[in-house]
């Protein structure tokens, strides 16, 4: 038993499991400890000057996160992410080149519970983004308030994560020179609630802001779909009328209103593949990057124009889904449902 545990294969698997396990807790720990240490230092110790210095830096550096951040090729290239990628494994598939002469708004679907595909493919070099799309700088958008925490924000900026806000997206897609690609998971956290067996459903019908932004900046729209993203966890759906359902709904409302987070109850595997726990299942995730849809630059696009390009985008996404679904494990009859 001990021999088996220390065999090479198990050691590799252990590293993969660790890399996945450390991920979410690291954000929580960085956010919490930085806040607690700074407050504690300020109020209760004679080292308050250190807290003041950190806060002063935080204030001085405030705008950086909205203007492209401060990325580190080294952090993006950590071996840790390689183990993370091999756990599922995650793959990045290119169908067309992205020319550095344009900026791109890459829309990613579906969100799943944690968007592992989007993170590994666009916020790390584990699948070789830099090699596959040379001279393109990827940014991955996320919830804005994560950047209010000192230290956590620096960690997030180092891999090229940026806030999804109009200021930032406009800045990246117009102020800075071309060859930027901002990835936005259009359905947002709400889409996590749509993972149900037998269905592929994405929130897109009423999400038009990204199309308007592409028109205002002339950024080309790129459809991407992460096959397998929804299979990384199983969601619990409680029957209508149970107290569990009631509390889930109540918590959902509170979290959505104040934090823009969506709660759902889910489970995956435990430390061993057969057990129950909160690690994701080892299910392959393949993110297919479609053909860029050229978008003209229009300062103030009217509703008809936004609708026109929104429809073109939806058609492009459905085409991509239908073209690759069989190759990545879905039945011929599977349709992408857009709500
Ligand atoms: C990442 O590291 C590998 C070697 O481990 C190197 O060949 C590659 O150029 C690096 N990529 C980037 C983008 O720094
Ligand atoms: C994930 O989506 C596929 C179709 O895209 C579906 O067949 C499968 O049942 C879904 N899985 C879960 C857990 O929702």
């Amino acid at each position: 038993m001990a021999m088996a545990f220390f065999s090479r294969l198990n050691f590799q698997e252990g590293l993969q499991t660790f890399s996945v396990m450390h991920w979410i807790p690291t954000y929580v720990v960085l956010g919490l400890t930085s806040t607690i240490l700074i407050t504690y230092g300020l109020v209760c110790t004679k080292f308050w000057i250190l807290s003041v210095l950190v806060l002063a830096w935080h204030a001085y550096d405030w705008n950086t996160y909205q203007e492209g951040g401060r990325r580190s090729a080294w952090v993006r290239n950590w071996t840790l992410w390689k183990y993370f990628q091999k756990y599922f494994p995650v793959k990045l598939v290119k169908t067309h080149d992205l020319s550095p002469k344009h900026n791109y708004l890459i829309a990613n679907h579906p969100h799943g519970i944690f968007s592992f595909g989007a993170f590994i493919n666009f916020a790390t070099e584990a699948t070789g983004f830099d090699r596959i799309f040379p001279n393109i700088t990827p940014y991955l958008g996320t919830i804005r308030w994560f950047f209010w925490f000192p230290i956590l924000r620096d960690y997030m900026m180092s891999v090229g994560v940026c806030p999804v806000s109009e200021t930032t997206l406009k800045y990246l897609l117009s102020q800075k020179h071309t060859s930027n690609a901002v990835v936005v998971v259009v359905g947002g956290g709400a889409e996590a609630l749509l993972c149900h067996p037998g269905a592929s459903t994405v929130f897109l019908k009423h999400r038009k802001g990204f199309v308007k932004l592409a028109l205002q900046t002339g950024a080309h729209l790129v459809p991407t779909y992460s096959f397998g993203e929804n299979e990384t966890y199983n969601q619990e759906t409680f029957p209508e009328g149970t107290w569990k359902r009631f509390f889930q709904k109540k918590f959902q409302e509170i979290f959505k209103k104040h934090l823009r987070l969506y709660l759902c109850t889910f489970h995956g595997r435990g430390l061993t593949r057969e057990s129950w726990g909160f690690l994701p299942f080892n299910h392959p995730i393949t993110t297919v990057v479609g053909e860029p849809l050229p978008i003209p630059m229009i300062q103030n696009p009217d509703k008809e124009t936004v609708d026109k390009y929104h429809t073109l985008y939806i058609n492009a996404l459905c085409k991509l889904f239908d073209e690759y679904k069989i190759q990545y494990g879905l039945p011929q009859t599977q349709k992408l449902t857009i709500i």
Side-chain angles (χ1 to χ4, degrees):
M1 183 66 197
M3 285 305 288
F5 183 77
F6 287 111
S7 76
R8 199 175 158 70
L9 182 75
N10 277 331
F11 185 61
Q12 291 292 320
E13 260 197 47
L15 287 172
Q16 290 169 19
T17 309
F18 168 79
S19 68
V20 175
M21 259 165 74
H22 99 289
W23 190 48
I24 299 287
T26 300
Y27 294 115
V28 178
V29 167
L30 281 181
L32 284 181
T33 47
S34 61
T35 311
I36 293 169
L37 281 181
I38 289 168
T39 319
Y40 177 75
L42 197 61
V43 181
C44 310
T45 69
K46 55 180 189 258
F47 300 115
W48 57 270
I49 188 78
L50 279 181
S51 297
V52 172
L53 283 176
V54 172
L55 288 177
W57 163 254
H58 192 55
Y60 170 76
D61 192 48
W62 182 256
N63 269 335
T64 307
Y65 83 102
Q66 312 203 53
E67 296 175 352
R70 198 182 300 110
R71 72 174 55 224
S72 154
W74 176 68
V75 179
R76 283 178 57 89
N77 209 11
W78 275 352
T79 312
L80 178 71
W81 308 130
K82 202 73 202 159
Y83 287 116
F84 200 152
Q85 174 261 328
K86 285 197 182 122
Y87 177 95
F88 296 96
V90 179
K91 227 167 70 184
L92 181 63
V93 173
K94 168 167 95 172
T95 64
H96 291 81
D97 286 324
L98 296 183
S99 151
K101 291 201 200 89
H102 303 287
N103 282 323
Y104 300 91
L105 208 169
I106 299 182
N108 182 251
H109 321 263
H111 185 282
I113 306 279
F114 288 122
S115 295
F116 291 114
F119 178 79
I120 291 295
N121 284 316
F122 303 116
T124 80
E125 288 298 328
T127 49
F129 186 94
D130 190 54
R131 181 174 40 81
I132 297 176
F133 296 104
N135 304 317
I136 300 288
T137 312
Y139 293 86
L140 175 62
T142 190
I143 301 173
R144 181 178 185 161
W145 57 257
F146 290 156
F147 292 88
W148 297 348
F149 296 91
I151 305 177
L152 172 61
R153 79 200 271 277
D154 292 282
Y155 184 56
M156 294 179 67
M157 286 196 289
S158 70
V159 291
V161 172
C162 70
V164 180
S165 69
E166 202 177 329
T167 326
T168 302
L169 299 188
K170 273 202 177 140
Y171 181 90
L172 291 174
L173 295 175
S174 55
Q175 299 309 111
K176 286 188 103 188
H177 52 75
T178 60
S179 79
N180 290 321
V182 185
V183 182
V184 176
V185 186
V186 174
E191 221 167 55
L193 310 175
L194 299 180
C195 299
H196 293 301
S200 314
T201 315
V202 295
F203 275 128
L204 190 54
K205 205 175 248 172
H206 304 287
R207 311 245 163 165
K208 297 185 180 170
F210 74 105
V211 178
K212 187 168 173 198
L213 208 95
L215 282 161
Q216 287 169 331
T217 57
H220 294 191
L221 274 177
V222 185
T224 64
Y225 196 89
S226 296
F227 291 95
E229 183 71 55
N230 68 332
E231 304 274 10
T232 52
Y233 285 104
N234 280 339
Q235 266 209 66
E236 263 71 54
T237 10
F238 303 118
E240 197 73 66
T242 58
W243 59 270
K244 282 183 180 164
R245 176 84 153 231
F246 174 79
F247 280 112
Q248 190 181 30
K249 279 221 159 115
K250 276 276 162 276
F251 279 122
Q252 246 163 33
E253 275 163 29
I254 296 170
F255 271 73
K256 180 182 155 193
K257 185 151 166 235
H258 298 289
L259 299 175
R260 311 194 68 201
L261 289 181
Y262 291 79
L263 280 196
C264 58
T265 35
F266 59 87
H267 78 267
R269 51 161 274 199
L271 279 177
T272 60
R273 289 186 187 220
E274 299 74 31
S275 58
W276 192 98
F278 291 103
L279 281 167
F281 295 115
N282 305 77
H283 192 281
I285 302 173
T286 308
T287 304
V288 184
V289 181
E291 184 177 10
L293 181 64
I295 303 286
M297 185 154 137
I298 303 173
Q299 286 277 312
N300 286 309
D302 54 24
K303 195 178 165 300
E304 283 70 42
T305 314
V306 174
D307 285 347
K308 177 181 147 195
Y309 283 95
H310 186 246
T311 308
L312 284 176
Y313 176 78
I314 291 181
N315 293 343
L317 177 67
C318 290
K319 187 167 152 249
L320 179 79
F321 182 87
D322 286 334
E323 214 169 314
Y324 289 91
K325 63 187 177 190
I326 299 175
Q327 198 170 342
Y328 297 113
L330 299 181
Q332 163 77 51
T333 49
Q334 188 76 44
K335 281 267 170 289
L336 184 64
T337 311
I338 300 199
I339 60 169

